[in-house]
């Protein structure tokens, strides 16, 4: 996910749009970056995941994954069908009280 996060930030996406002669944030770039990151994550965790990314303990990896998952699904229309392990992990992650109680949808105006 380290290659994904900085590339799908608003400032970076706006700059890419400007360089491509467009306005606003570059949705195509964001979607591509997130899909690329989720593809690598899926391949990695498919060999070791349990309830969470690395077994049955909730770790910072799950928190980082949650941010990318949320952005991919809510903002950039990433199809999660190719990522069954990530989808299963996210069900457990979003059930954690700290994640459930701080989910971005709770703070939308």
């Amino acid at each position: 996910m380290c290659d994904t996060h900085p590339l799908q930030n608003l400032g970076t996406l706006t700059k890419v749009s400007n360089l491509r002669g467009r306005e606003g944030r570059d949705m195509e770039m964001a979607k591509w970056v997130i899909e690329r990151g989720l593809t690598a994550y899926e391949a990695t965790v498919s060999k070791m995941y349990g309830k969470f990314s690395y077994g049955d303990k909730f770790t910072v990896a799950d928190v980082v994954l949650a941010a990318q998952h949320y952005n991919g699904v809510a903002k950039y229309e990433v199809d999660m069908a190719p990522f069954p392990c990530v989808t299963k992990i996210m069900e457990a992650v979003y059930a954690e009280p700290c994640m459930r109680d701080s989910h971005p949808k709770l703070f939308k105006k």
Side-chain angles (χ1 to χ4, degrees), residues 48-65:
M48 68 182 90
Y49 83 105
K51 182 177 177 184
F52 298 105
S53 295
Y54 294 97
D56 293 331
K57 290 195 174 202
F58 180 64
T59 68
V60 70
D62 301 303
V63 174
V64 173
L65 176 61

Side-chain angles (χ1 to χ4, degrees), residues 58 62-64 66-67 90 93-104 106:
F58 180 64
D62 301 303
V63 174
V64 173
M90 290 314 305
V93 169
Y94 287 141
E96 286 292 301
C98 65
M99 298 302 285
R100 183 186 63 238
D101 297 344
S102 63
H103 195 280
L106 297 174

Side-chain angles (χ1 to χ4, degrees), residues 8-79:
Q8 57 90 25
N9 281 337
L10 181 60
T12 302
L13 294 175
T14 300
K15 181 64 175 177
V16 169
S17 284
N18 292 341
L19 291 171
R20 293 171 79 178
R22 301 176 182 170
E23 294 202 20
R25 66 181 160 192
D26 195 309
M27 305 292 273
E28 179 184 351
M29 170 78 170
K31 185 174 180 178
W32 174 78
V33 166
I34 292 172
E35 287 173 342
R36 186 182 69 159
L38 289 175
T39 298
Y41 202 89
E42 180 79 14
T44 300
V45 298
S46 68
K47 300 172 186 125
M48 68 182 90
Y49 83 105
K51 182 177 177 184
F52 298 105
S53 295
Y54 294 97
D56 293 331
K57 290 195 174 202
F58 180 64
T59 68
V60 70
D62 301 303
V63 174
V64 173
L65 176 61
Q68 300 311 310
H69 178 266
Y70 177 79
N71 283 340
V73 172
K75 294 181 181 178
Y76 304 115
E77 301 176 356
V78 170
D79 176 12

